[in-house]
Amino acid sequence: MSQSVHVQAFRDLLDGRGVVDDPEQIATYTTDQRQLFTGSTFAVLKPATTKQVADIVRLAAQQGIGLVPQGGNTSYCGGATPDASGRQIIVSLDRMDRIREVDPVSMSISVDAGAILKNVQDAAATAGLLLPLSLGAEGSCRIGGNIGTNAGGLSVVRYGMTRDLLLGIEAVLSDGTVVSDMRKLRKNNTGYDIKQCFVGSEGTLGIVTGAVMRLAPLPIRRATAWLKLATDAPLAELLALIRRESADLLTTFEFMTARSIVLANEAMTNTPSVHAGPGGTVLAELASSSRHLDLDGLMEAVLAEAIESGWIEDAFLAQSGSQRTAMWEVRENIPEGEKRRNGSVKHDISVPLSSIQRFLDLAGSQVRSYDADLELSVYGHVGDGNLHYNVLVPPDVERIEFTNRIEACRCNSTTRPRRSAARLARSTASVGSRSIFWSDTATSAASLRCAVSRPPLIHRTS
């Protein structure tokens, strides 16, 4: 059967806006966000309802056509890109973007899978509630993709991953069957938790078409601090201290090395007057929905303990929204800084909190032993054990060639996985969105404490 016949068959199922077969328009869907993968398809299908998705799946099965579900196409991993065979067709959910219901009493929101994450956040905020899922691509990524990749983001330390926020789901299976469990129940122990099968499945078990997400009270107060770490500051113990002494009001604990901060500054027009300490930087933030808590005072008291322990050299507290924004812009501009620097080979790594310092020491040593000239950009959501461990592409080397070289090193390594940084850090250029987990025994972080020679200060930035 010719491609034109296939296209017409799908056009008969959908309305006039439901099929895109213009090559120029298709091109925007067939290359991944990092421009590492480009596939081929003869059409992009844009259903507007769950029924249309089910009809598409049945027809594709009859005609032997593979389906590639696509949300915002913001993934770094190529999972939403078709292969080069031309026998796969993209199913884009960008027309399925309704906010179905906001329930302030149940503290939940029901949405189409094609709803943009930022729009869902805004709908929740209008009702005085918070959708805690927050990540850099929130202005263009979509809820279905967040579910398919089990997205984490900036607030996992307090609220958990997408998996933890999902209350209900609607999905279409490979035979066109619609599975609908859009209940808002917090407690449901009546058998298998089917919705969790779709979390992290990247469209392999079905196409998610709707979701019910758990909401939280909307924070109205924040305390944001820029922490200049001492050499060998024990990240895990610092995190535990802040969580414990703040009554677990910590929403963000972002680690950045000095090199990553320099890259971010190079990408910014107005750079803030804060810099890294010898051990890097942590951007920590407390948040509360209460009008009665003095979060700045609480943050100062907590950090005073960390300073006494010699873990922090200096700390700066944001005194305005603009100062907070300036601090966050540094963190958010690191990927752009890497891109301007000729790019990086990205690795998304999950490490037990107690092993983070040992991993940083061991992996850095392994990379240097492979090539002493390689530079690293290391940052991430250390609050949940997640590190972005990126190898910078040298200025005089072509990016794809370098990516392939690093990937070949990983694949050809004969060292035991636990002891090889190349095996520990799995390249997202070829392995999809899965993090790699490292479970080696770590030296006690207490042995890594470093005393400083002068009494540091907590600064209220002006």
Side-chain angles (χ1 to χ4, degrees), residues 259-324:
R259 187 70 183 98
S260 296
I261 292 172
V262 168
L263 290 170
N265 287 340
E266 291 173 353
M268 297 171 65
T269 304
N270 299 310
T271 58
S273 57
V274 288
H275 307 284
T281 290
V282 163
L283 180 60
E285 189 164 272
L286 308 180
S288 173
S289 59
S290 173
R291 301 187 306 272
H292 307 294
L293 295 179
D294 176 12
L295 291 190
D296 281 351
L298 179 60
M299 179 71 89
E300 285 190 27
V302 172
L303 295 183
E305 291 192 37
I307 287 171
E308 270 188 49
S309 299
W311 302 344
I312 298 172
E313 289 201 348
D314 287 306
F316 300 86
L317 295 182
Q319 295 300 293
S320 66
S322 61
Q323 290 176 2
R324 174 180 179 267

Side-chain angles (χ1 to χ4, degrees), residues 43-279:
V44 176
L45 306 181
K46 295 189 169 189
T49 66
T50 300
K51 180 182 183 304
Q52 288 186 347
V53 174
D55 291 341
I56 287 170
V57 170
R58 293 189 195 98
L59 182 57
Q62 293 170 9
Q63 298 186 354
I65 297 171
L67 297 177
V68 180
Q70 189 176 104
N73 199 22
T74 60
S75 171
Y76 279 3
C77 310
T81 305
D83 64 22
S85 68
R87 288 291 302 166
Q88 295 179 339
I89 196 165
I90 294 172
V91 180
S92 170
L93 299 183
D94 58 14
R95 292 179 64 201
M96 296 183 62
D97 60 354
R98 290 181 305 130
I99 306 295
R100 300 186 187 182
E101 181 192 29
V102 180
D103 186 340
V105 177
S106 295
M107 297 181 71
S108 67
I109 187 166
S110 304
V111 300
D112 284 353
I116 291 174
L117 175 56
K118 183 65 168 63
N119 294 344
V120 182
Q121 293 171 343
D122 290 346
T126 300
L129 297 168
L130 171 75
L131 176 62
L133 183 62
S134 177
L135 48 150
E138 62 192 29
S140 49
C141 67
R142 298 175 186 272
I143 291 294
N146 299 147
I147 294 170
T149 58
N150 191 25
L154 302 172
S155 302
V156 173
V157 65
R158 181 166 176 181
Y159 298 106
M161 304 278 286
T162 298
R163 182 183 303 282
D164 303 297
L165 300 173
L166 185 65
L167 294 176
I169 202 165
E170 177 186 85
V172 177
L173 304 183
S174 60
D175 63 351
T177 299
V178 177
V179 175
S180 183
D181 184 8
M182 294 286 283
R183 288 176 288 187
K184 298 176 279 188
L185 299 177
R186 301 296 180 107
K187 178 182 179 180
N188 182 359
N189 55 5
T190 56
Y192 296 110
D193 193 358
I194 299 299
K195 65 178 180 293
Q196 292 295 340
C197 295
F198 294 94
V199 180
S201 67
E202 297 188 84
T204 56
L205 300 181
I207 301 177
V208 176
T209 55
V212 183
M213 307 297 292
R214 176 171 63 87
L215 303 179
L218 183 69
I220 59 174
R221 292 190 177 186
R222 299 180 188 274
T224 306
W226 181 278
L227 314 181
K228 296 176 67 174
L229 300 178
T231 303
D232 291 335
L235 289 170
E237 292 195 12
L238 177 59
L239 169 65
L241 170 69
I242 297 176
R243 290 190 68 175
R244 181 180 67 249
E245 297 303 324
S246 70
D248 215 8
L249 293 178
L250 183 71
T251 58
T252 301
F253 192 87
E254 294 287 310
F255 171 71
M256 296 168 275
T257 57
R259 187 70 183 98
S260 296
I261 292 172
V262 168
L263 290 170
N265 287 340
E266 291 173 353
M268 297 171 65
T269 304
N270 299 310
T271 58
S273 57
V274 288
H275 307 284

Side-chain angles (χ1 to χ4, degrees), residues 7-19:
V7 169
Q8 186 56 51
F10 285 112
R11 205 183 296 278
D12 291 341
L13 289 179
L14 308 173
D15 53 47
R17 298 169 53 205
V19 178

Side-chain angles (χ1 to χ4, degrees), residues 359 362-363 366 409-410 413-425 438:
F359 173 84
L362 177 60
Q366 290 279 351
C409 168
R410 184 188 70 80
S413 172
T414 56
T415 310
R416 287 194 306 145
R418 283 188 178 181
R419 301 299 181 188
S420 167
R423 296 293 295 278
L424 288 174
W438 193 68

Side-chain angles (χ1 to χ4, degrees), residues 336-357:
E336 179 62 24
E338 292 178 357
K339 187 176 180 180
R340 294 190 184 194
R341 168 62 171 62
N342 199 29
S344 63
V345 182
K346 298 184 181 295
H347 304 87
D348 203 10
I349 301 169
S350 288
V351 185
L353 290 173
S354 58
S355 300
I356 282 179
Q357 192 61 54

